[in-house]
Amino acid sequence: MAGNLVARSIHDLTAAAWFGGSLMGAIGLNGATAQAQDPAERTRLSSLGWKKWSPFQTAAFGAHILAGAAVVWENKDRMGKQDGVTRLTIYKTIVTLVGAAVTLYAGMQGAKVDKLSGEGAAGATEPTPGASEELRSAQQQLKILQWAIPVFAGWVIVLGSKHGEMQRPKNVAKGLAR
């Protein structure tokens, strides 16, 4: 089989882990921890769950970058010859890196929420009326970031699909004719 099935599979699976893990955390983990009786437990338990996921997400990012580099290497000739492939690769790389930065920043805000978990909260990303400004700010940012992350991850997956479509023979021929 020509190509790089292993690298492409790792690249796609790690993007899927980023998407699914972030969406499950924002919906499932945060939703479940909001049901805790003790308001201080709501942010503490959510933080614990995100901390458990973080090493896997970090490993997935590392594998995604390495696999992506292998895919680019495998396609270097096509990138130079087929119209639009290099442009899409650069675009996808930028979306991936911005999404990774958003994910990292969300982790930093999550650490602030964890540090201030003793104040209690209505939910992992919902402050109580008496919350400190530091906790309120971190939770408000985290709420937006936790929904932005699956958008970036999904965007990366869609761009990967577009790359795949560009490899169809009729699209290769069209791209080489230009």
Side-chain angles (χ1 to χ4, degrees):
M1 183 178 303
N4 200 336
L5 178 63
V6 173
R8 285 179 66 149
S9 297
I10 291 170
H11 193 67
D12 291 349
L13 289 168
T14 54
W18 182 27
F19 177 79
S22 60
L23 200 57
M24 189 281 180
I27 296 170
L29 179 61
N30 288 355
T33 59
Q35 302 302 311
Q37 296 295 325
D38 181 357
E41 287 290 290
R42 294 174 187 149
T43 50
R44 189 184 77 76
L45 291 173
S46 180
S47 294
L48 283 173
W50 284 107
K51 282 182 194 175
K52 292 245 184 224
W53 171 243
S54 181
F56 293 97
Q57 182 165 276
T58 301
F61 270 128
H64 186 78
I65 298 296
L66 291 174
V71 170
V72 167
W73 181 259
E74 179 71 26
N75 286 283
K76 64 186 177 301
D77 292 336
R78 190 169 69 87
M79 287 176 65
K81 295 175 183 169
Q82 186 180 352
D83 185 50
V85 176
T86 299
R87 190 170 41 255
L88 180 61
T89 301
I90 292 168
Y91 179 52
K92 184 178 171 198
T93 300
I94 291 168
V95 171
T96 301
L97 293 175
V98 172
V102 168
T103 302
L104 177 63
Y105 188 67
M108 293 165 56
Q109 294 307 305
K112 283 184 187 178
V113 170
D114 183 39
K115 183 182 105 186
L116 300 167
S117 65
E119 289 185 34
T125 58
E126 292 77 28
T128 58
S132 68
E133 184 53 39
E134 187 178 10
L135 178 59
R136 179 180 306 285
S137 174
Q139 285 183 300
Q140 289 170 341
Q141 289 179 60
L142 195 55
K143 186 173 198 163
I144 293 166
L145 294 167
Q146 285 184 352
W147 290 106
I149 294 167
V151 169
F152 278 100
W155 195 355
V156 167
I157 292 167
V158 169
L159 293 174
S161 295
K162 183 169 173 106
H163 263 138
E165 287 297 309
M166 291 178 87
Q167 288 184 305
R168 290 180 177 269
K170 70 178 182 179
N171 293 331
V172 171
K174 195 184 312 178
L176 294 177
R178 292 185 180 172

